[in-house]
């Protein structure tokens, strides 16, 4: 089982390697891939050193699976080249997510749609992944009509430069690299990605469209406001869900507690609720603050937190790879 990690030296690529190691993924050969300027650099994996190779070298080695986290333009150019030699690509960029010919997969929700013919599989947006993991069991039971989500997203979702910007601002350094148009420390920026013609940002539209595709139900209405906040460790979401059918709050909690990949943290009497620092370096989705919306019938509020570099990116991609191996689809 040959596994290539494309973008192996980047923020998500580094976490992909860590997750592969932690989960003891059954690979026999690791192929770290990065841009030309990184070729020859060494990365460590399970106590061994591996030299980073170029895209052409990796393709010539015909890996079974390639985990991509190298940006949309790279993926559009290179993923088909891997697919042509028989490699199954799991891509973390937005390049293929809304392509009707490509599957958009969160294993706990819709892995059963995958087949051996899927040679390019899209990994969804980080904020969408954690939300649909929690929504799926509730949709199955009560049928979701509408979702209103506001996000509180970690600077790690932007990358190393954003982390540097926040930490520099914290130290009083004002002339360092700027990932954002404004200071982020002691601030909140209600913009993630670029604005679209309809006034929503690209991140907000990703959440709207990807949720419908992953859940396999275009009747689910979604509206989103995505916000960058000065934290690390994970993304948080305030989610309001209107169902067709009524629910019992205790039953909702029991359903979520029994859901694969979800950890229920909901004990307000003892001030227990999910926070980014608790989700940091964890693979699960944490859910709490579950309560009835008393302003509308059949409507629920809840709070969802997950590590955006792990379940929101690297772990989800590795879980897709695990599913492919387990079900002999590669």
């Amino acid at each position: 089982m040959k596994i290539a990690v494309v973008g192996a030296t980047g923020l998500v690529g580094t976490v992909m390697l860590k997750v592969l190691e932690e989960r003891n993924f059954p690979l026999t050969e690791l192929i770290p891939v990065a841009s030309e300027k990184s070729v020859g650099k060494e990365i460590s994996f399970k106590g061994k050193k591996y030299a980073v190779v170029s895209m052409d070298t990796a393709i010539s080695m015909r890996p079974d699976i390639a985990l991509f986290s190298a940006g949309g333009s790279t993926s559009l150019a290179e993923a088909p080249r891997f697919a042509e030699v028989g490699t199954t690509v799991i891509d973390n960029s937005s390049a293929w997510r809304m392509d009707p010919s490509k599957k958009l997969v969160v294993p706990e929700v819709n892995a059963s749609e995958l087949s051996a013919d899927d040679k390019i599989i899209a990994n969804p947006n980080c904020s969408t992944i954690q939300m649909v993991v929690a929504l799926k069991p509730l949709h199955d039971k009560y049928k979701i009509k509408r979702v209103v989500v506001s996000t509180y997203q970690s600077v790690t979702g932007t990358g190393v430069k954003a982390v540097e910007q926040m930490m520099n601002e914290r130290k009083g350094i004002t002339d360092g690299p700027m990932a954002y148009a404004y200071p982020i420390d002691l601030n909140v920026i209600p913009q993630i990605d670029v604005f679209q013609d309809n006034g929503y940002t690209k991140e907000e539209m990703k959440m709207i469209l990807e949720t419908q595709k992953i859940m396999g139900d275009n009747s689910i209405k979604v509206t989103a406001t995505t916000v960058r906040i000065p934290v690390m460790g994970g993304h948080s979401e305030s989610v309001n869900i209107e169902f067709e059918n009524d629910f019992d709050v205790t039953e909702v909690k029991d359903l979520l507690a029994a859901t694969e990949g979800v950890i229920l943290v909901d004990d307000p009497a003892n001030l227990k609720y999910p926070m980014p620092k608790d989700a940091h370096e964890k693979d699960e989705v944490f859910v709490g603050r579950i309560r009835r919306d008393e302003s509308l019938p059949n409507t629920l509020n809840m709070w969802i937190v997950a590590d955006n570099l792990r379940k929101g990116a690297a772990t989800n991609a590795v879980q897709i790879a695990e599913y492919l191996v387990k079900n002999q689809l590669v």
Side-chain angles (χ1 to χ4, degrees), residues 105-170:
V105 176
V106 176
E108 296 93 336
V109 179
N110 64 338
S112 59
E113 292 178 10
L114 290 170
S115 74
D117 296 330
D118 293 311
K119 288 301 175 192
I120 299 176
I121 300 162
N123 204 42
N125 183 43
C126 47
S127 46
T128 310
I129 289 173
Q130 66 186 71
M131 185 170 75
V132 297
V133 168
L135 292 184
K136 178 66 164 71
L138 305 183
H139 183 54
D140 290 348
K141 181 79 175 175
Y142 310 112
K143 187 152 177 48
I144 295 171
K145 287 172 67 176
R146 182 170 186 255
V147 176
V148 181
V149 54
S150 299
T151 72
Y152 307 72
Q153 294 182 224
S154 162
V155 293
T156 56
T158 309
V160 173
K161 190 176 175 183
V163 175
E164 285 177 9
Q165 178 183 333
M166 185 177 80
M167 290 309 187
N168 282 340
E169 288 168 1
R170 222 153 255 205

Side-chain angles (χ1 to χ4, degrees), residues 34-104:
S35 62
E36 290 296 334
K37 69 176 188 291
S38 294
V39 170
K41 279 187 185 172
E42 287 193 331
I43 61 110
S44 292
F45 182 80
K46 287 195 170 180
K48 284 178 66 178
K49 299 282 190 191
Y50 292 82
V52 171
V53 302
S54 69
M55 208 73 75
D56 288 346
T57 300
I59 291 166
S60 72
M61 295 169 77
R62 296 176 176 260
D64 298 286
I65 296 171
L67 300 173
F68 260 69
S69 190
S73 56
T74 301
S75 179
L76 284 171
E78 305 296 347
R81 296 180 63 216
F82 276 89
E84 277 168 22
V85 299
T87 301
T88 300
V89 173
I90 302 167
D91 179 51
N92 193 53
S93 79
S94 60
W96 306 98
R97 289 177 188 157
M98 295 315 297
D99 183 327
S101 69
K102 305 290 183 286
K103 308 279 172 62
L104 183 64

